[in-house]
Amino acid sequence: MSYCINPKCSNPKNPLKARVCGTCGSSLILRQRYKPLKSLGHGGFGATFLAVDLNLPGKPSCVIKQLRLASNVPHLFQMARELFEREAETLGRIGNHPQVPRLLDYFEDDNHFYLVQEYVKGNNLQQEVKKNGPFSEAGARQFLSEVLPVIQYIHSQQVIHRDIKPANLIRRDQDKKLVLIDFGAVKNQINVEAIASTSEQTALTSFAVGTPGYAPPEQMAMRPVYASDIYAVGITCLYLLTGKPPKDLDYDSKTGELLWESHVNISNSLASVLHKMLESSVKHRYQSAQDVLDALEMEPYMESLAQGMADLSGAESFTGTTGGQVSPTASSDDDGELTGGPSTLANSQLAMAIRARRDRQKKPYGAPSQTDTYHPSASAQRINRLTAGRNKPRSTMGKTMRIEPNKANRANPMETKLTAQDMLSAYGQGRRNFAQLQLLGLSLPRMNLSGCIFHQSQMIQANFQGANLSRADFGKANLHQANLRDANLEQAYLSYTNLSQADLRGANLEQAYLNYALLDGANLCGANLRNAKITDQQLKTAKTNWATIMPNGRRGLF
């Protein structure tokens, strides 16, 4: 069968040997060389066709991509020509990679633009999932390990693909390699804002943005970066694991985050990588494909190492901060290997590599590496100065003591450590002052603790999810990695508080006092910060998204 590629033809199918369309009279042979056989896909912006090259021996197959315009307005036509020439130039520059289709020819004919590319025979990943079902974790990891080097390559050529999705990744029948196709949406120099402001409604603008659901917020706002492709790869990986396109997954109405965890059964290490790939805030996302590959290689060891470090830290006393450094009691030799316990050379080197990588990525307040010196931010230094000398260890540190309300002041408060049961019992008897206590890992979700005083208490990794903490005093407290998701912190006092890496998603922080609080890596997606005392500089260090209510009452990414 021959196929007429005239967009206005009502019956494009013709006999194989026909040279002219029997319906519209258009030529069925382009440039006296390429004969279209069937349609491969089409949209408002363009269409693709399977064709044969009549001038080469064996008449090999090729793909013809036709750029269509719905308007003949001169300036739009010129922009379309620039878009076409840009894609041709891009394919010509990067087409030497074995997993990118080669550009064979390009030309303009009858006010339409054509690209001729190498034909990649095989099924795309969308077809694979529909045929065989979702991927296993091993399959998803294999996908990432295969596609990320391709992404790294095109980024090295200063190209942002902008339309990575399952339908644009074909598994080639010949060698089962994944091939990335359709570079029509790569970042360009055309003024897209000018196009969008014209009175002519064209498909050019929507195509240039990418595919909704697979494109991250900054790309939909016409500000794509290399990390935008990382997000699209992460969404594609979710589709492979779940068989569900993004539109079929739920979003958290408060935070705006994609709710995908319940649809997959994967390890914590892979989930951790996917979470960072899918960060709505660009600055908290992986910045390159190589960063993701490094994380995939190292992340499986993180959990066991973190547990080992936790066990070690549990046996140490809290020494506080002096001179901007934290001094753990565990010693280390000149090579950075912890002493005092058996360790093979391989394990030691692995631990050092993981610690070094983690330290490079993020340096939380109060948690330095064993092999590096931590220099806290200005906010952290202010906390250090204010709390210096208050956190020195005592001989009774770490002992569990049940505090009666009438005996609260008999012991030095920093010598005490309360359990959740102790605290609830004391709260029930009317106690509200829990200042300067060791409350590490305390778990009191959904409890009413309104008006409590936790001033200068150590509350690392405490769980207050959904708790009522309105008007509570957390001044100078350490809430590093605390779970405060959906907590009510209205009018809470959080000045000089360490909230680094704390989960504050959906939390109510309306009228809260966050002056000089440390928010490095804190997750404020969907949080309500209306009328909160907080600076723009603090917000820049935290994670926010379109669902975050800013101090001025408006929603949006900071």
Side-chain angles (χ1 to χ4, degrees):
M1 180 182 70
S2 294
Y3 200 91
C4 177
I5 62 175
N6 178 4
K8 298 180 180 179
C9 183
S10 60
N11 184 22
K13 297 180 180 180
N14 288 270
L16 181 61
K17 294 184 178 181
R19 301 184 68 88
V20 177
C21 178
T23 301
C24 68
S26 299
S27 173
L28 296 175
I29 301 177
L30 285 172
R31 229 183 186 189
Q32 299 182 346
R33 177 172 182 173
Y34 303 108
K35 187 178 184 66
L37 301 180
K38 67 176 182 178
S39 172
L40 295 176
H42 61 86
F45 178 74
T48 55
F49 306 91
L50 176 65
V52 292
D53 187 342
L54 301 176
N55 286 6
L56 291 179
K59 300 179 182 178
S61 298
C62 58
V63 171
I64 295 176
K65 183 173 182 178
Q66 179 191 60
L67 173 62
R68 296 175 175 176
L69 285 181
S71 171
N72 291 323
V73 177
H75 74 280
L76 290 178
F77 186 83
Q78 180 58 32
M79 288 179 179
R81 176 181 280 121
E82 291 178 18
L83 179 66
F84 162 72
E85 291 175 349
R86 174 177 51 79
E87 182 175 4
E89 187 275 334
T90 298
L91 285 173
R93 186 170 77 249
I94 69 176
N96 290 327
H97 193 280
Q99 289 170 268
V100 175
R102 287 181 293 119
L103 177 67
L104 304 176
D105 197 2
Y106 69 101
F107 54 90
E108 182 179 337
D109 182 47
D110 192 25
N111 291 332
H112 292 305
F113 305 99
Y114 297 93
L115 292 168
V116 183
Q117 296 174 256
E118 170 190 8
Y119 173 59
V120 181
K121 186 179 181 181
N123 291 327
N124 63 45
L125 292 184
Q126 187 177 42
Q127 293 168 327
E128 273 195 16
V129 170
K130 288 182 177 179
K131 180 181 178 180
N132 302 321
F135 283 29
S136 64
E137 175 170 342
R141 286 180 177 273
Q142 176 62 31
F143 158 74
L144 291 171
S145 67
E146 189 172 353
V147 76
L148 286 168
V150 185
I151 305 303
Q152 184 73 2
Y153 167 74
I154 65 172
H155 288 177
S156 72
Q157 302 299 309
Q158 290 77 54
V159 170
I160 304 172
H161 189 281
R162 295 214 295 179
D163 200 22
I164 296 171
K165 57 184 178 181
N168 282 341
L169 285 158
I170 296 177
R171 193 175 302 281
R172 188 165 47 204
D173 284 347
Q174 179 183 354
D175 56 7
K176 303 305 179 184
K177 293 286 188 181
L178 287 178
V179 179
L180 181 61
I181 66 170
D182 201 347
F183 285 76
V186 295
K187 186 183 179 187
N188 58 74
Q189 302 302 318
I190 298 175
N191 187 340
V192 291
E193 287 81 8
I195 298 176
S197 65
T198 61
S199 59
E200 296 288 338
Q201 180 64 35
T202 72
L204 185 61
T205 55
S206 61
F207 185 87
V209 168
T211 302
Y214 290 92
E218 76 279 357
Q219 183 174 320
M220 300 303 289
M222 298 293 186
R223 298 184 184 91
V225 293
Y226 293 124
S228 302
D229 283 346
I230 303 301
Y231 182 95
V233 172
I235 293 288
T236 298
C237 192
L238 278 189
Y239 173 81
L240 300 181
L241 286 166
T242 64
K244 298 177 180 291
K247 65 181 181 65
D248 291 344
L249 295 174
D250 292 329
Y251 287 80
D252 189 308
S253 60
K254 288 186 178 180
T255 68
E257 295 177 318
L258 197 64
L259 301 176
W260 54 269
E261 293 90 340
S262 62
H263 297 282
V264 298
N265 183 19
I266 57 176
S267 64
N268 291 337
S269 61
L270 180 57
S272 176
V273 172
L274 286 176
H275 272 295
K276 191 165 183 178
M277 293 179 75
L278 298 171
E279 285 282 3
S280 59
S281 176
V282 178
K283 63 185 177 182
H284 297 292
R285 201 181 303 152
Y286 291 114
Q287 298 302 298
S288 73
Q290 188 59 53
D291 288 345
V292 186
L293 288 169
D294 290 344
L296 286 169
E297 181 181 356
M298 303 292 279
E299 198 65 37
Y301 301 101
M302 290 296 190
E303 200 168 328
S304 59
L305 179 64
Q307 182 60 48
M309 297 294 283
D311 293 343
L312 177 63
S313 63
E316 298 168 354
S317 60
F318 184 84
T319 61
T321 58
T322 57
Q325 299 181 23
V326 178
S327 304
T329 57
S331 61
S332 61
D333 61 21
D334 293 338
D335 294 326
E337 181 178 351
L338 289 175
T339 59
S343 174
T344 66
L345 179 61
N347 288 341
S348 174
Q349 290 175 337
L350 176 60
M352 289 169 60
I354 295 175
R355 285 196 297 267
R357 175 181 171 274
R358 173 169 282 178
D359 291 341
R360 285 196 302 272
Q361 290 180 334
K362 55 187 177 182
K363 295 270 193 163
Y365 169 79
S369 70
Q370 297 289 341
T371 60
D372 201 4
T373 300
Y374 172 54
H375 300 284
S377 63
S379 298
Q381 291 175 9
R382 282 192 293 271
I383 295 174
N384 293 345
R385 289 196 298 270
L386 288 166
T387 60
R390 306 288 306 244
N391 300 328
K392 293 182 179 180
R394 309 279 183 172
S395 60
T396 57
M397 175 69 72
K399 294 182 179 179
T400 300
M401 299 179 63
R402 189 174 301 277
I403 304 297
E404 300 294 339
N406 60 348
K407 299 179 181 179
N409 297 321
R410 292 187 179 181
N412 187 311
M414 285 306 294
E415 294 179 354
T416 63
K417 178 179 178 181
L418 296 184
T419 67
Q421 184 177 359
D422 293 337
M423 189 170 172
L424 287 176
S425 176
Y427 186 87
Q429 297 177 48
R431 178 179 169 88
R432 296 294 181 268
N433 190 346
F434 301 96
Q436 294 184 302
L437 298 181
Q438 288 288 321
L439 301 171
L440 308 181
L442 187 72
S443 183
L444 290 169
R446 295 175 294 280
M447 294 298 175
N448 181 12
L449 299 169
S450 178
C452 279
I453 299 173
F454 299 104
H455 202 80
Q456 289 188 320
S457 288
Q458 297 300 317
M459 311 178 76
I460 298 173
Q461 296 183 340
N463 178 13
F464 289 113
Q465 182 171 350
N468 180 8
L469 299 165
S470 59
R471 300 182 304 282
D473 179 358
F474 290 97
K476 304 178 188 177
N478 190 347
L479 284 161
H480 173 62
Q481 292 185 340
N483 181 1
L484 293 159
R485 186 167 184 173
D486 297 323
N488 180 10
L489 290 157
E490 185 176 1
Q491 299 183 38
Y493 184 78
L494 295 155
S495 293
Y496 294 97
T497 304
N498 177 13
L499 289 163
S500 60
Q501 298 181 50
D503 186 352
L504 289 152
R505 287 176 291 175
N508 180 13
L509 289 156
E510 191 168 0
Q511 300 183 56
Y513 295 85
L514 288 153
N515 315 66
Y516 306 109
L518 185 64
L519 294 170
D520 294 357
N523 194 335
L524 290 167
C525 292
N528 180 5
L529 292 162
R530 189 188 303 270
N531 297 322
K533 304 298 182 183
I534 187 172
T535 66
D536 291 349
Q537 190 60 38
Q538 286 175 289
L539 284 171
K540 287 180 180 178
T541 66
K543 301 177 186 178
T544 59
N545 68 353
W546 64 267
T548 304
I549 301 177
M550 295 301 175
N552 60 9
R554 297 179 180 177
R555 291 182 181 270
L557 288 166
F558 183 81

